[in-house]
Amino acid sequence: MNEVLNAIINRRTIRRFRPDPIDEEKIQMILEAGRWAPSFSNLQPWKFIVTKDQNLKNELDKASRESVLHLGINEAPVVILVCVDRRIDPLHAIEAGAAATQNMVLAAHSLGLGAGWIGVWGTEAESAARKLFQFPETTRVVSLLPIGHPAESPQGNRKPLEELIQFQ
């Protein structure tokens, strides 16, 4: 199987991390993968906020507890906030942010790291993150990505393809 399909099929959401630091080069490669995500008319409305600050991660974790599955935020050495600017793309910003998120979690997996995808768009967790980082009104947070060395190896589970497709 080719390496892209292998990464897609074998990537898992990681919610438990070892405390080992991540090489800066790997963080840059993950961010680069996000930068190369597709976006409507190549508008690239995203911004990536990288935090290693434990106090900020604690605040994100606390804010996320009420509305989303937050596991991993405190443990991961790095959390990336995937944000989009609705002034740049008012119609397709969330899709662009989701594409960037997907690229980054796949890149993390390909580098031997684990990542969780915590979708926060439209939740209390997003509001809290926007307030915590003092984002302007037009900046929305699509996802939080805790990233680190996995301390778990979850198994995959998918519906059979036959249940998901229809030819007409």
Side-chain angles (χ1 to χ4, degrees):
M1 179 179 316
N2 83 30
E3 60 187 272
V4 173
L5 290 175
N6 187 46
I8 291 169
I9 291 168
N10 290 303
R11 183 210 61 82
R12 299 288 176 267
T13 296
I14 302 300
R15 295 185 178 101
R16 301 281 177 224
F17 299 93
R18 297 192 325 256
D20 312 350
I22 303 173
D23 295 337
E24 289 300 319
E25 182 181 359
K26 288 186 177 184
I27 294 170
Q28 289 299 315
M29 286 188 267
I30 292 166
L31 295 166
E32 189 70 18
R35 184 173 78 96
W36 282 98
S39 63
F40 175 75
S41 264
N42 199 29
L43 292 174
Q44 304 174 50
W46 41 67
K47 294 251 189 243
F48 310 127
I49 312 304
V50 180
T51 186
K52 297 178 184 179
D53 182 277
Q54 193 61 47
N55 291 329
L56 286 174
K57 292 188 298 178
N58 290 342
E59 288 296 318
L60 283 173
D61 179 75
K62 180 180 172 186
S64 299
R65 286 176 188 266
E66 300 300 318
S67 59
V68 295
L69 184 60
H70 63 93
L71 297 175
I73 294 173
N74 275 337
E75 293 180 11
V78 172
V79 176
I80 299 174
L81 288 77
V82 179
C83 304
V84 291
D85 187 331
R86 304 254 346 242
R87 289 175 302 181
I88 296 170
D89 186 354
L91 299 176
H92 304 286
I94 191 169
E95 295 99 312
T101 298
Q102 177 74 8
N103 276 15
M104 287 193 271
V105 298
L106 288 171
H109 174 75
S110 76
L111 295 168
L113 299 171
W117 179 333
I118 303 172
V120 296
W121 180 281
T123 67
E124 290 298 318
E126 180 197 9
S127 298
R130 290 177 69 229
K131 185 177 179 182
L132 181 63
F133 287 88
Q134 300 177 345
F135 294 145
E137 184 71 25
T138 57
T139 298
R140 298 291 305 270
V141 184
V142 175
S143 57
L144 308 176
L145 301 179
I147 299 174
H149 299 277
E152 63 179 354
S153 299
Q155 298 301 305
N157 182 14
R158 288 289 182 263
K159 295 177 182 178
L161 187 58
E162 296 77 29
E163 291 182 21
L164 305 173
I165 59 173
Q166 179 178 342
F167 292 102
Q168 296 188 355

